[in-house]
Amino acid sequence: AQKITQTQPGMFVQEKEAVTLDCTYDTSDQSYGLFWYKQPSSGEMIFLIYQGSYDEQNATEGRYSLNFQKARKSANLVISASQLGDSAMYFCAMRRLNTGFQKLVFGTGTRLLVSP
Amino acid sequence: NAGVTQTPKFRVLKTGQSMTLLCAQDMNHEYMYWYRQDPGMGLRLIHYSVGEGTTAKGEVPDGYNVSRLKKQNFLLGLESAAPSQTSVYFCASNDGWGAHTDTQYFGPGTRLTVL
């Protein structure tokens, strides 16, 4: 079975600083994908970044980067130069690859608050 | 491009009432999903569909039924609502193949309260 653990219920950061949101996962699969989603107060789930288990380089998307440490089974999200609009819930998720059905397993989320 | 839309956005039901939540996507995605989100529990998969005319159970299917008569629509039904079904419901869709298209695109959510 797959499991995602996000141990930080809440995080605080000042505007323009960098912040790391932790995510560890457990799986026996060799081929899997890791995702981060943002959920602002308006409620929608917004895809941020994806990392495949066989990708050798850490994924980056603008101010978002994924610090992927396969041996430690961690996939932390790094947000550089935080903005007030980054205040939201952040969810880490994973799924098997190369299977017909794509079930996403989510963590419980981390609430990020960016202060001026 | 509307993406994934859900109707209604909010609904209040009495115990025992029935209702249907509608999800529509205009991206020609094969796969569609219904999740529920409860405080402190992340998102849990209720039902999913891997193509028109197909449905399957997810993690928490009890008390819900679904139908996918058209590729672009995925309906979630509650036949006899219970207070335990008070939640925020999300629909999602994706292509169903390839690494980058593994990404699921979510609708805005439906907040349901059962009294």
Side-chain angles (χ1 to χ4, degrees):
Chain A
Q2 300 170 309
K3 186 178 179 181
I4 293 282
T5 301
Q6 294 180 255
T7 58
Q8 306 157 314
M11 290 285 286
F12 294 89
V13 66
Q14 276 201 314
E15 202 176 4
K16 300 180 184 177
E17 290 185 349
V19 63
T20 298
L21 306 183
D22 294 342
C23 172
T24 58
Y25 60 92
D26 188 22
T27 182
S28 57
D29 297 305
Q30 295 301 310
S31 181
Y32 51 89
L34 295 153
F35 303 79
W36 277 92
Y37 284 85
K38 173 184 178 181
Q39 187 179 40
S41 57
S42 52
E44 72 274 27
M45 296 284 285
I46 302 168
F47 165 72
L48 293 178
I49 196 166
Y50 165 83
Q51 177 87 40
S53 59
Y54 288 112
D55 294 339
E56 294 185 351
Q57 290 193 332
N58 288 342
T60 60
E61 290 285 350
R63 294 185 300 109
Y64 304 108
S65 60
L66 199 152
N67 183 2
F68 180 47
Q69 298 187 44
K70 195 170 181 178
R72 298 180 61 183
K73 292 189 174 179
S74 73
N76 299 338
L77 177 71
V78 180
I79 306 175
S80 63
S82 298
Q83 301 172 355
L84 296 178
D86 293 334
S87 293
M89 281 289 288
Y90 289 82
F91 291 93
C92 180
M94 73 176 300
R95 63 169 289 278
R96 290 190 186 100
L97 297 182
N98 302 325
T99 60
F101 169 53
Q102 304 180 38
K103 174 183 173 181
L104 263 180
V105 176
F106 285 86
T108 53
T110 296
R111 183 172 297 280
L112 176 66
L113 182 61
V114 181
S115 60
Chain B
N1 188 348
V4 180
T5 58
Q6 292 181 231
T7 52
K9 288 186 170 50
F10 303 93
R11 186 71 186 268
V12 178
L13 291 178
K14 294 181 180 179
T15 298
Q17 288 185 317
S18 64
M19 76 162 295
T20 300
L21 282 67
L22 171 64
C23 175
Q25 51 95 2
D26 62 1
M27 297 173 282
N28 202 35
H29 285 166
E30 286 294 333
Y31 287 20
M32 296 187 75
Y33 312 80
W34 276 107
Y35 293 90
R36 61 177 287 172
Q37 184 181 26
D38 301 296
M41 299 191 73
L43 276 77
R44 293 182 292 167
L45 183 64
I46 305 171
H47 286 279
Y48 64 96
S49 168
V50 300
E52 181 179 318
T54 74
T55 63
K57 294 179 180 180
E59 299 172 72
V60 288
D62 293 342
Y64 305 95
N65 55 74
V66 287
S67 64
R68 184 111 180 259
L69 299 179
K70 293 182 179 180
K71 186 177 183 179
Q72 65 267 32
N73 295 337
F74 195 28
L75 279 64
L76 177 71
L78 287 73
E79 289 186 349
S80 180
S84 61
Q85 294 177 304
T86 294
S87 187
V88 181
Y89 292 85
F90 286 96
C91 176
S93 72
N94 65 348
D95 280 333
W97 59 271
H100 291 287
T101 54
D102 288 346
T103 303
Q104 291 184 17
Y105 294 90
F106 284 79
T110 296
R111 186 173 296 275
L112 174 67
T113 301
V114 183
L115 302 176

